[in-house]
Amino acid sequence: MSATLIDGKATSQKIKSQIALRVERLASKGIIPGLAVVLIGDNPASHTYVKNKKRTCEALGMRSDLLQFPESFGEDELLEVIRNLNNDPEIHGILVQLPLPGHIDEFKVILAIDPEKDVDGFHPVSVGNMMIGREAFLPCTPHGIMKLLEEYGIEPAGKHAVVIGRSNIVGKPAGQLLLQRDATVTYCHSRTAGLAEYTRSADILVSAVGRAKFLGKDYIKPGAVVIDVGMNRDENGKLCGDVDFEDVLETASYVTPVPGGVGPMTIAMLMENTLLSAERGLAETK
């Protein structure tokens, strides 16, 4: 039997439709959720991501400000831009597009963003609140993964979840969110010996390693749920994930495609975080 496709595109559309209605309600009270995106340099992938974010914002009736600067833009200048955005009441979310040029300290920049506007969920305050289960802006990709599991009725409680990857953006928070939903979580990474032993025991497998078609059916437990976060190019230059999609179809019970799986959910969650920030601001003024 072939695996069920977890359709991130359809799920993200459903979420964005709900967001659009909430944006309308806020607009009727004179508040337009505003997202400021700061882009430094000419990284083509970053330009594509930023364009998608701006287009999505506008489609949902949200304000989108793009602040674009050359590669040579200084760290102190960038921190000043962030301070101004922190103080702008019409901006509810601040996103500094990563990666940054080498002369800018990424952590210092993340730290400068007001946690109340940290819609990427990268600030240590956001991460700390997430870790202890308090209200926080959740990192968009892991949050999107959890929404997909929810949409397809996949319950993590009591399951063994294996996360391949330990980045602060995807791997670590994905494991933490699964743990909060009562999964038993194992983290694997580039130094893990005998990787297949771990992955073959996973009821839920999340891969964020960035290696094209790295995981075939030999790595998958029959009936496993496979979440592919990878965004790679295969030998023909075609977009693909970490998972050899065709190879695992007969083994997995559910699988996310690339493209069209986790990717669309990341932007949807960014929009939701920005909206939440605006809604919180309204609640505080009452």
mmCIF file of all heavy atoms in Angstrom, residues 153-200:
data_model
loop_
_atom_site.group_PDB
_atom_site.id
_atom_site.type_symbol
_atom_site.label_atom_id
_atom_site.label_comp_id
_atom_site.label_asym_id
_atom_site.label_seq_id
_atom_site.Cartn_x
_atom_site.Cartn_y
_atom_site.Cartn_z
ATOM 1 N N GLY A 153 -4.240 13.948 11.819
ATOM 2 C CA GLY A 153 -4.643 13.079 12.925
ATOM 3 C C GLY A 153 -3.541 12.160 13.405
ATOM 4 O O GLY A 153 -3.811 11.058 13.898
ATOM 5 N N ILE A 154 -2.296 12.594 13.266
ATOM 6 C CA ILE A 154 -1.147 11.778 13.704
ATOM 7 C C ILE A 154 -0.780 12.213 15.119
ATOM 8 O O ILE A 154 -0.332 13.332 15.339
ATOM 9 C CB ILE A 154 0.051 11.946 12.742
ATOM 10 C CG1 ILE A 154 -0.343 11.454 11.339
ATOM 11 C CG2 ILE A 154 1.267 11.199 13.260
ATOM 12 C CD1 ILE A 154 0.566 11.943 10.235
ATOM 13 N N GLU A 155 -0.992 11.349 16.064
ATOM 14 C CA GLU A 155 -0.800 11.668 17.479
ATOM 15 C C GLU A 155 0.605 11.230 17.938
ATOM 16 O O GLU A 155 0.925 10.058 17.907
ATOM 17 C CB GLU A 155 -1.867 10.946 18.310
ATOM 18 C CG GLU A 155 -1.795 11.174 19.796
ATOM 19 C CD GLU A 155 -1.706 12.654 20.173
ATOM 20 O OE1 GLU A 155 -2.662 13.402 19.901
ATOM 21 O OE2 GLU A 155 -0.667 13.037 20.732
ATOM 22 N N PRO A 156 1.454 12.194 18.363
ATOM 23 C CA PRO A 156 2.816 11.822 18.787
ATOM 24 C C PRO A 156 2.883 11.064 20.120
ATOM 25 O O PRO A 156 3.865 10.344 20.369
ATOM 26 C CB PRO A 156 3.534 13.174 18.913
ATOM 27 C CG PRO A 156 2.688 14.140 18.155
ATOM 28 C CD PRO A 156 1.276 13.640 18.302
ATOM 29 N N ALA A 157 1.861 11.212 20.978
ATOM 30 C CA ALA A 157 1.915 10.626 22.329
ATOM 31 C C ALA A 157 2.212 9.124 22.271
ATOM 32 O O ALA A 157 1.556 8.381 21.548
ATOM 33 C CB ALA A 157 0.604 10.875 23.058
ATOM 34 N N GLY A 158 3.214 8.723 23.050
ATOM 35 C CA GLY A 158 3.570 7.308 23.134
ATOM 36 C C GLY A 158 4.397 6.783 21.973
ATOM 37 O O GLY A 158 4.824 5.627 21.967
ATOM 38 N N LYS A 159 4.648 7.636 20.956
ATOM 39 C CA LYS A 159 5.414 7.215 19.775
ATOM 40 C C LYS A 159 6.898 7.528 19.970
ATOM 41 O O LYS A 159 7.270 8.407 20.740
ATOM 42 C CB LYS A 159 4.923 7.946 18.519
ATOM 43 C CG LYS A 159 3.430 7.829 18.243
ATOM 44 C CD LYS A 159 3.088 6.528 17.561
ATOM 45 C CE LYS A 159 1.591 6.344 17.368
ATOM 46 N NZ LYS A 159 0.933 7.441 16.660
ATOM 47 N N HIS A 160 7.717 6.790 19.241
ATOM 48 C CA HIS A 160 9.147 7.107 19.221
ATOM 49 C C HIS A 160 9.402 8.023 18.030
ATOM 50 O O HIS A 160 9.180 7.646 16.888
ATOM 51 C CB HIS A 160 9.985 5.827 19.092
ATOM 52 C CG HIS A 160 11.461 6.083 19.104
ATOM 53 N ND1 HIS A 160 12.368 5.237 18.521
ATOM 54 C CD2 HIS A 160 12.192 7.112 19.640
ATOM 55 C CE1 HIS A 160 13.593 5.732 18.694
ATOM 56 N NE2 HIS A 160 13.511 6.861 19.365
ATOM 57 N N ALA A 161 9.847 9.243 18.324
ATOM 58 C CA ALA A 161 10.164 10.211 17.267
ATOM 59 C C ALA A 161 11.675 10.353 17.168
ATOM 60 O O ALA A 161 12.348 10.574 18.181
ATOM 61 C CB ALA A 161 9.517 11.559 17.570
ATOM 62 N N VAL A 162 12.193 10.248 15.964
ATOM 63 C CA VAL A 162 13.624 10.445 15.731
ATOM 64 C C VAL A 162 13.797 11.686 14.864
ATOM 65 O O VAL A 162 13.187 11.797 13.804
ATOM 66 C CB VAL A 162 14.264 9.209 15.055
ATOM 67 C CG1 VAL A 162 15.716 9.488 14.657
ATOM 68 C CG2 VAL A 162 14.200 8.001 15.985
ATOM 69 N N VAL A 163 14.616 12.613 15.350
ATOM 70 C CA VAL A 163 14.899 13.854 14.622
ATOM 71 C C VAL A 163 16.348 13.801 14.160
ATOM 72 O O VAL A 163 17.264 13.655 14.985
ATOM 73 C CB VAL A 163 14.673 15.090 15.521
ATOM 74 C CG1 VAL A 163 15.002 16.375 14.755
ATOM 75 C CG2 VAL A 163 13.238 15.128 16.038
ATOM 76 N N ILE A 164 16.555 13.895 12.850
ATOM 77 C CA ILE A 164 17.925 13.940 12.328
ATOM 78 C C ILE A 164 18.255 15.397 12.032
ATOM 79 O O ILE A 164 17.664 16.012 11.149
ATOM 80 C CB ILE A 164 18.091 13.105 11.039
ATOM 81 C CG1 ILE A 164 17.405 11.750 11.160
ATOM 82 C CG2 ILE A 164 19.567 12.904 10.724
ATOM 83 C CD1 ILE A 164 17.428 10.942 9.874
ATOM 84 N N GLY A 165 19.197 15.935 12.801
ATOM 85 C CA GLY A 165 19.547 17.347 12.686
ATOM 86 C C GLY A 165 19.424 18.008 14.041
ATOM 87 O O GLY A 165 18.502 17.705 14.805
ATOM 88 N N ARG A 166 20.341 18.925 14.336
ATOM 89 C CA ARG A 166 20.348 19.556 15.668
ATOM 90 C C ARG A 166 20.493 21.072 15.578
ATOM 91 O O ARG A 166 21.047 21.716 16.466
ATOM 92 C CB ARG A 166 21.463 18.958 16.525
ATOM 93 C CG ARG A 166 22.820 18.956 15.840
ATOM 94 C CD ARG A 166 23.895 18.359 16.704
ATOM 95 N NE ARG A 166 25.094 18.072 15.917
ATOM 96 C CZ ARG A 166 26.217 17.590 16.431
ATOM 97 N NH1 ARG A 166 26.295 17.350 17.725
ATOM 98 N NH2 ARG A 166 27.260 17.345 15.660
ATOM 99 N N SER A 167 20.015 21.646 14.484
ATOM 100 C CA SER A 167 20.083 23.109 14.345
ATOM 101 C C SER A 167 19.136 23.767 15.336
ATOM 102 O O SER A 167 18.145 23.164 15.774
ATOM 103 C CB SER A 167 19.728 23.536 12.921
ATOM 104 O OG SER A 167 18.329 23.440 12.724
ATOM 105 N N ASN A 168 19.446 25.035 15.678
ATOM 106 C CA ASN A 168 18.573 25.791 16.577
ATOM 107 C C ASN A 168 17.266 26.186 15.899
ATOM 108 O O ASN A 168 16.286 26.505 16.562
ATOM 109 C CB ASN A 168 19.287 27.066 17.049
ATOM 110 C CG ASN A 168 20.473 26.755 17.946
ATOM 111 O OD1 ASN A 168 20.490 25.731 18.624
ATOM 112 N ND2 ASN A 168 21.458 27.627 17.951
ATOM 113 N N ILE A 169 17.262 26.153 14.563
ATOM 114 C CA ILE A 169 16.100 26.612 13.797
ATOM 115 C C ILE A 169 15.079 25.496 13.582
ATOM 116 O O ILE A 169 13.878 25.716 13.628
ATOM 117 C CB ILE A 169 16.557 27.203 12.447
ATOM 118 C CG1 ILE A 169 17.370 28.490 12.694
ATOM 119 C CG2 ILE A 169 15.390 27.476 11.513
ATOM 120 C CD1 ILE A 169 18.054 29.038 11.455
ATOM 121 N N VAL A 170 15.571 24.263 13.353
ATOM 122 C CA VAL A 170 14.643 23.158 13.050
ATOM 123 C C VAL A 170 14.815 21.978 14.010
ATOM 124 O O VAL A 170 13.897 21.619 14.741
ATOM 125 C CB VAL A 170 14.803 22.659 11.591
ATOM 126 C CG1 VAL A 170 13.828 21.504 11.321
ATOM 127 C CG2 VAL A 170 14.555 23.776 10.594
ATOM 128 N N GLY A 171 15.973 21.361 14.018
ATOM 129 C CA GLY A 171 16.164 20.091 14.726
ATOM 130 C C GLY A 171 15.825 20.135 16.208
ATOM 131 O O GLY A 171 14.965 19.397 16.690
ATOM 132 N N LYS A 172 16.517 21.017 16.939
ATOM 133 C CA LYS A 172 16.302 21.073 18.391
ATOM 134 C C LYS A 172 14.858 21.421 18.752
ATOM 135 O O LYS A 172 14.236 20.725 19.557
ATOM 136 C CB LYS A 172 17.269 22.074 19.030
ATOM 137 C CG LYS A 172 18.709 21.585 19.100
ATOM 138 C CD LYS A 172 19.588 22.682 19.695
ATOM 139 C CE LYS A 172 21.059 22.313 19.610
ATOM 140 N NZ LYS A 172 21.920 23.448 20.023
ATOM 141 N N PRO A 173 14.283 22.511 18.186
ATOM 142 C CA PRO A 173 12.897 22.809 18.565
ATOM 143 C C PRO A 173 11.876 21.772 18.096
ATOM 144 O O PRO A 173 10.884 21.529 18.777
ATOM 145 C CB PRO A 173 12.621 24.175 17.927
ATOM 146 C CG PRO A 173 13.702 24.398 16.929
ATOM 147 C CD PRO A 173 14.873 23.590 17.363
ATOM 148 N N ALA A 174 12.121 21.124 16.954
ATOM 149 C CA ALA A 174 11.184 20.085 16.496
ATOM 150 C C ALA A 174 11.112 18.953 17.519
ATOM 151 O O ALA A 174 10.021 18.473 17.877
ATOM 152 C CB ALA A 174 11.606 19.542 15.135
ATOM 153 N N GLY A 175 12.271 18.537 18.006
ATOM 154 C CA GLY A 175 12.301 17.481 19.029
ATOM 155 C C GLY A 175 11.605 17.911 20.299
ATOM 156 O O GLY A 175 10.869 17.136 20.925
ATOM 157 N N GLN A 176 11.807 19.169 20.682
ATOM 158 C CA GLN A 176 11.206 19.685 21.906
ATOM 159 C C GLN A 176 9.674 19.724 21.813
ATOM 160 O O GLN A 176 8.970 19.359 22.752
ATOM 161 C CB GLN A 176 11.749 21.084 22.195
ATOM 162 C CG GLN A 176 11.291 21.691 23.498
ATOM 163 C CD GLN A 176 11.695 20.879 24.712
ATOM 164 O OE1 GLN A 176 12.749 20.255 24.729
ATOM 165 N NE2 GLN A 176 10.855 20.867 25.740
ATOM 166 N N LEU A 177 9.167 20.159 20.655
ATOM 167 C CA LEU A 177 7.709 20.220 20.477
ATOM 168 C C LEU A 177 7.090 18.822 20.455
ATOM 169 O O LEU A 177 5.986 18.614 20.963
ATOM 170 C CB LEU A 177 7.363 20.993 19.198
ATOM 171 C CG LEU A 177 7.702 22.486 19.221
ATOM 172 C CD1 LEU A 177 7.381 23.134 17.870
ATOM 173 C CD2 LEU A 177 6.972 23.222 20.345
ATOM 174 N N LEU A 178 7.800 17.865 19.880
ATOM 175 C CA LEU A 178 7.321 16.478 19.905
ATOM 176 C C LEU A 178 7.323 15.923 21.328
ATOM 177 O O LEU A 178 6.408 15.213 21.741
ATOM 178 C CB LEU A 178 8.193 15.604 18.987
ATOM 179 C CG LEU A 178 7.936 15.801 17.489
ATOM 180 C CD1 LEU A 178 9.115 15.317 16.660
ATOM 181 C CD2 LEU A 178 6.662 15.069 17.069
ATOM 182 N N LEU A 179 8.356 16.278 22.096
ATOM 183 C CA LEU A 179 8.441 15.858 23.501
ATOM 184 C C LEU A 179 7.266 16.418 24.302
ATOM 185 O O LEU A 179 6.668 15.718 25.121
ATOM 186 C CB LEU A 179 9.768 16.348 24.092
ATOM 187 C CG LEU A 179 10.073 15.972 25.548
ATOM 188 C CD1 LEU A 179 10.221 14.463 25.703
ATOM 189 C CD2 LEU A 179 11.351 16.677 26.013
ATOM 190 N N GLN A 180 6.918 17.674 24.022
ATOM 191 C CA GLN A 180 5.789 18.291 24.726
ATOM 192 C C GLN A 180 4.461 17.621 24.386
ATOM 193 O O GLN A 180 3.508 17.720 25.156
ATOM 194 C CB GLN A 180 5.730 19.788 24.410
ATOM 195 C CG GLN A 180 6.813 20.582 25.114
ATOM 196 C CD GLN A 180 6.816 22.049 24.742
ATOM 197 O OE1 GLN A 180 5.919 22.543 24.067
ATOM 198 N NE2 GLN A 180 7.839 22.759 25.167
ATOM 199 N N ARG A 181 4.427 16.946 23.244
ATOM 200 C CA ARG A 181 3.225 16.191 22.867
ATOM 201 C C ARG A 181 3.358 14.715 23.255
ATOM 202 O O ARG A 181 2.692 13.854 22.714
ATOM 203 C CB ARG A 181 2.985 16.339 21.356
ATOM 204 C CG ARG A 181 2.566 17.738 20.933
ATOM 205 C CD ARG A 181 1.164 18.105 21.387
ATOM 206 N NE ARG A 181 0.190 17.176 20.871
ATOM 207 C CZ ARG A 181 -0.358 17.260 19.654
ATOM 208 N NH1 ARG A 181 -0.042 18.269 18.854
ATOM 209 N NH2 ARG A 181 -1.214 16.366 19.251
ATOM 210 N N ASP A 182 4.258 14.442 24.210
ATOM 211 C CA ASP A 182 4.403 13.119 24.838
ATOM 212 C C ASP A 182 5.005 12.044 23.944
ATOM 213 O O ASP A 182 4.784 10.841 24.162
ATOM 214 C CB ASP A 182 3.062 12.635 25.414
ATOM 215 C CG ASP A 182 2.551 13.546 26.515
ATOM 216 O OD1 ASP A 182 3.380 14.029 27.307
ATOM 217 O OD2 ASP A 182 1.335 13.802 26.572
ATOM 218 N N ALA A 183 5.765 12.463 22.932
ATOM 219 C CA ALA A 183 6.567 11.476 22.184
ATOM 220 C C ALA A 183 7.847 11.212 22.961
ATOM 221 O O ALA A 183 8.285 12.030 23.775
ATOM 222 C CB ALA A 183 6.900 12.023 20.799
ATOM 223 N N THR A 184 8.457 10.060 22.721
ATOM 224 C CA THR A 184 9.799 9.771 23.219
ATOM 225 C C THR A 184 10.749 10.146 22.093
ATOM 226 O O THR A 184 10.629 9.620 20.980
ATOM 227 C CB THR A 184 9.947 8.283 23.574
ATOM 228 O OG1 THR A 184 9.001 7.972 24.603
ATOM 229 C CG2 THR A 184 11.350 7.963 24.044
ATOM 230 N N VAL A 185 11.659 11.083 22.368
ATOM 231 C CA VAL A 185 12.434 11.699 21.282
ATOM 232 C C VAL A 185 13.904 11.304 21.320
ATOM 233 O O VAL A 185 14.543 11.337 22.373
ATOM 234 C CB VAL A 185 12.316 13.244 21.342
ATOM 235 C CG1 VAL A 185 13.134 13.900 20.234
ATOM 236 C CG2 VAL A 185 10.848 13.668 21.234
ATOM 237 N N THR A 186 14.427 10.925 20.158
ATOM 238 C CA THR A 186 15.855 10.683 19.975
ATOM 239 C C THR A 186 16.384 11.668 18.944
ATOM 240 O O THR A 186 15.799 11.820 17.864
ATOM 241 C CB THR A 186 16.115 9.249 19.464
ATOM 242 O OG1 THR A 186 15.593 8.314 20.415
ATOM 243 C CG2 THR A 186 17.605 8.989 19.262
ATOM 244 N N TYR A 187 17.480 12.350 19.287
ATOM 245 C CA TYR A 187 18.156 13.245 18.337
ATOM 246 C C TYR A 187 19.315 12.504 17.687
ATOM 247 O O TYR A 187 20.127 11.883 18.375
ATOM 248 C CB TYR A 187 18.728 14.470 19.052
ATOM 249 C CG TYR A 187 17.725 15.513 19.460
ATOM 250 C CD1 TYR A 187 17.259 15.575 20.781
ATOM 251 C CD2 TYR A 187 17.259 16.446 18.555
ATOM 252 C CE1 TYR A 187 16.352 16.552 21.172
ATOM 253 C CE2 TYR A 187 16.352 17.428 18.936
ATOM 254 C CZ TYR A 187 15.906 17.466 20.239
ATOM 255 O OH TYR A 187 15.003 18.440 20.615
ATOM 256 N N CYS A 188 19.399 12.603 16.360
ATOM 257 C CA CYS A 188 20.547 12.075 15.625
ATOM 258 C C CYS A 188 21.173 13.218 14.823
ATOM 259 O O CYS A 188 20.532 14.236 14.582
ATOM 260 C CB CYS A 188 20.120 10.956 14.673
ATOM 261 S SG CYS A 188 19.468 9.505 15.516
ATOM 262 N N HIS A 189 22.430 13.021 14.401
ATOM 263 C CA HIS A 189 23.146 14.093 13.697
ATOM 264 C C HIS A 189 24.324 13.491 12.942
ATOM 265 O O HIS A 189 24.458 12.254 12.846
ATOM 266 C CB HIS A 189 23.606 15.159 14.696
ATOM 267 C CG HIS A 189 24.228 14.591 15.929
ATOM 268 N ND1 HIS A 189 25.519 14.124 15.965
ATOM 269 C CD2 HIS A 189 23.704 14.369 17.171
ATOM 270 C CE1 HIS A 189 25.793 13.662 17.163
ATOM 271 N NE2 HIS A 189 24.702 13.787 17.921
ATOM 272 N N SER A 190 25.188 14.348 12.410
ATOM 273 C CA SER A 190 26.272 13.884 11.539
ATOM 274 C C SER A 190 27.267 12.961 12.252
ATOM 275 O O SER A 190 27.971 12.187 11.614
ATOM 276 C CB SER A 190 27.031 15.091 10.954
ATOM 277 O OG SER A 190 27.528 15.904 12.000
ATOM 278 N N ARG A 191 27.329 13.047 13.579
ATOM 279 C CA ARG A 191 28.267 12.201 14.333
ATOM 280 C C ARG A 191 27.613 10.944 14.911
ATOM 281 O O ARG A 191 28.252 10.197 15.643
ATOM 282 C CB ARG A 191 28.885 13.014 15.489
ATOM 283 C CG ARG A 191 29.707 14.229 15.051
ATOM 284 C CD ARG A 191 30.999 13.801 14.371
ATOM 285 N NE ARG A 191 31.802 14.948 13.998
ATOM 286 C CZ ARG A 191 32.724 15.510 14.775
ATOM 287 N NH1 ARG A 191 32.925 15.044 15.989
ATOM 288 N NH2 ARG A 191 33.423 16.538 14.338
ATOM 289 N N THR A 192 26.341 10.731 14.610
ATOM 290 C CA THR A 192 25.647 9.553 15.146
ATOM 291 C C THR A 192 26.168 8.286 14.477
ATOM 292 O O THR A 192 26.132 8.162 13.249
ATOM 293 C CB THR A 192 24.126 9.667 14.921
ATOM 294 O OG1 THR A 192 23.648 10.838 15.575
ATOM 295 C CG2 THR A 192 23.389 8.454 15.480
ATOM 296 N N ALA A 193 26.635 7.347 15.282
ATOM 297 C CA ALA A 193 27.096 6.057 14.744
ATOM 298 C C ALA A 193 25.893 5.132 14.593
ATOM 299 O O ALA A 193 25.013 5.093 15.452
ATOM 300 C CB ALA A 193 28.124 5.446 15.686
ATOM 301 N N GLY A 194 25.853 4.385 13.483
ATOM 302 C CA GLY A 194 24.757 3.437 13.262
ATOM 303 C C GLY A 194 23.406 4.122 13.129
ATOM 304 O O GLY A 194 22.422 3.705 13.750
ATOM 305 N N LEU A 195 23.351 5.170 12.297
ATOM 306 C CA LEU A 195 22.143 5.981 12.148
ATOM 307 C C LEU A 195 20.901 5.148 11.828
ATOM 308 O O LEU A 195 19.828 5.355 12.396
ATOM 309 C CB LEU A 195 22.352 7.037 11.048
ATOM 310 C CG LEU A 195 21.167 7.940 10.733
ATOM 311 C CD1 LEU A 195 20.822 8.836 11.926
ATOM 312 C CD2 LEU A 195 21.440 8.791 9.494
ATOM 313 N N ALA A 196 21.050 4.178 10.930
ATOM 314 C CA ALA A 196 19.893 3.389 10.477
ATOM 315 C C ALA A 196 19.231 2.626 11.620
ATOM 316 O O ALA A 196 18.017 2.400 11.607
ATOM 317 C CB ALA A 196 20.305 2.425 9.366
ATOM 318 N N GLU A 197 20.013 2.246 12.636
ATOM 319 C CA GLU A 197 19.430 1.545 13.798
ATOM 320 C C GLU A 197 18.395 2.431 14.482
ATOM 321 O O GLU A 197 17.355 1.963 14.940
ATOM 322 C CB GLU A 197 20.524 1.193 14.815
ATOM 323 C CG GLU A 197 21.446 0.075 14.392
ATOM 324 C CD GLU A 197 22.554 -0.141 15.427
ATOM 325 O OE1 GLU A 197 22.242 -0.056 16.641
ATOM 326 O OE2 GLU A 197 23.708 -0.362 15.018
ATOM 327 N N TYR A 198 18.704 3.711 14.573
ATOM 328 C CA TYR A 198 17.787 4.655 15.220
ATOM 329 C C TYR A 198 16.584 4.951 14.319
ATOM 330 O O TYR A 198 15.448 4.935 14.778
ATOM 331 C CB TYR A 198 18.510 5.964 15.545
ATOM 332 C CG TYR A 198 19.592 5.809 16.585
ATOM 333 C CD1 TYR A 198 20.926 5.690 16.214
ATOM 334 C CD2 TYR A 198 19.272 5.761 17.948
ATOM 335 C CE1 TYR A 198 21.920 5.537 17.166
ATOM 336 C CE2 TYR A 198 20.264 5.618 18.906
ATOM 337 C CZ TYR A 198 21.587 5.499 18.508
ATOM 338 O OH TYR A 198 22.559 5.345 19.454
ATOM 339 N N THR A 199 16.857 5.245 13.050
ATOM 340 C CA THR A 199 15.759 5.648 12.166
ATOM 341 C C THR A 199 14.771 4.505 11.947
ATOM 342 O O THR A 199 13.572 4.743 11.804
ATOM 343 C CB THR A 199 16.287 6.148 10.812
ATOM 344 O OG1 THR A 199 17.008 5.097 10.157
ATOM 345 C CG2 THR A 199 17.199 7.354 10.982
ATOM 346 N N ARG A 200 15.277 3.272 11.932
ATOM 347 C CA ARG A 200 14.376 2.115 11.717
ATOM 348 C C ARG A 200 13.501 1.821 12.925
ATOM 349 O O ARG A 200 12.589 1.003 12.848
ATOM 350 C CB ARG A 200 15.186 0.876 11.324
ATOM 351 C CG ARG A 200 15.593 0.858 9.865
ATOM 352 C CD ARG A 200 15.969 -0.550 9.398
ATOM 353 N NE ARG A 200 17.152 -1.041 10.078
ATOM 354 C CZ ARG A 200 18.395 -1.009 9.581
ATOM 355 N NH1 ARG A 200 18.600 -0.481 8.380
ATOM 356 N NH2 ARG A 200 19.413 -1.485 10.253
#
